[in-house]
Amino acid sequence: MGRPEVGAALRRCAECGGYEYAGAPACGMCRGLVNGVVEEGWAGFVEEFGGGDEVELAAMVADEPDRHDWRVVDAALDRLTCADCGERTGRGPLGCAPCDLAHGFRYVAIECDRPGVPPGNEHAVRVNVSVVRRPHVTSANELLLRRLMLPGLLVGLLPTTEEAQRLAAMARQVAGPERERTVELMVEEMFSSRRVEG
């Protein structure tokens, strides 16, 4: 399964109980859904390209990331191995020069908003997916915000700058185990008044 349709209702994850996608990376089901967003783009690309060796296709995409959809670029990097650290290219430890470089280049890929979403929604989806898929290179607060926002972004919602800043401030202020529930409630409240026409 890839991303939900624009305007779809948020659904609860059977494994973690949170909204689908928001439990990643700790929840295996949510992690699979987040990876599915990227893999859905890759599958479409491979089919459109007419098949072929996926590693060769991935190397081609990695050499020209500005010519491909961001999901295709992310999936291509997943299929390549970093010669320095041995991880998937772009997903290695912070400080691995080839992975850091590949991660930076992923942001030159194409991102097009889907019909019916506010301008900038696709960029927000892309950044949140990237953070959730590379949790080891971000702060706990950033990861919390990105993963809890992801379900709403995927159905086409987008917070205002002020809302995003208020969420970030709340995540910094609330300590301990209450932090996640407080931020989750704020995200629910923020998105509950909005609907996107699919």
Side-chain angles (χ1 to χ4, degrees), residues 94-117:
L94 193 61
C96 173
C99 283
D100 290 347
L101 186 62
H103 177 64
F105 280 139
R106 85 174 64 232
Y107 286 99
V108 302
I110 298 167
E111 53 187 45
C112 297
D113 284 319
R114 296 169 290 165
V117 302

Side-chain angles (χ1 to χ4, degrees), residues 125-197:
V125 168
R126 172 200 209 162
V127 170
N128 283 262
V129 166
S130 177
V131 168
V132 170
R133 294 180 80 224
R134 296 180 77 231
H136 57 286
V137 297
T138 194
S139 71
N141 275 349
E142 181 76 7
L143 179 60
L144 175 67
L145 292 168
R146 297 294 182 175
R147 68 182 183 77
L148 292 178
M149 292 290 294
L150 190 54
L153 296 172
L154 286 167
V155 298
L157 302 172
L158 187 67
T160 65
T161 301
E162 294 77 23
E163 288 170 330
Q165 290 171 344
R166 194 166 50 248
L167 278 170
M170 181 59 67
R172 285 190 301 272
Q173 291 172 3
V174 178
E178 305 86 39
R179 177 182 297 141
E180 181 165 349
R181 188 64 189 141
T182 301
V183 173
E184 185 175 40
L185 288 171
M186 285 183 70
V187 169
E188 286 178 9
E189 181 180 318
M190 179 178 60
F191 285 152
S192 67
S193 62
R194 300 185 203 165
R195 292 290 175 256
V196 177
E197 298 301 319

Side-chain angles (χ1 to χ4, degrees), residues 64-69 73 108-110:
E64 51 185 31
D66 59 323
R67 298 184 63 195
H68 303 281
D69 179 83
V73 172
V108 302
I110 298 167

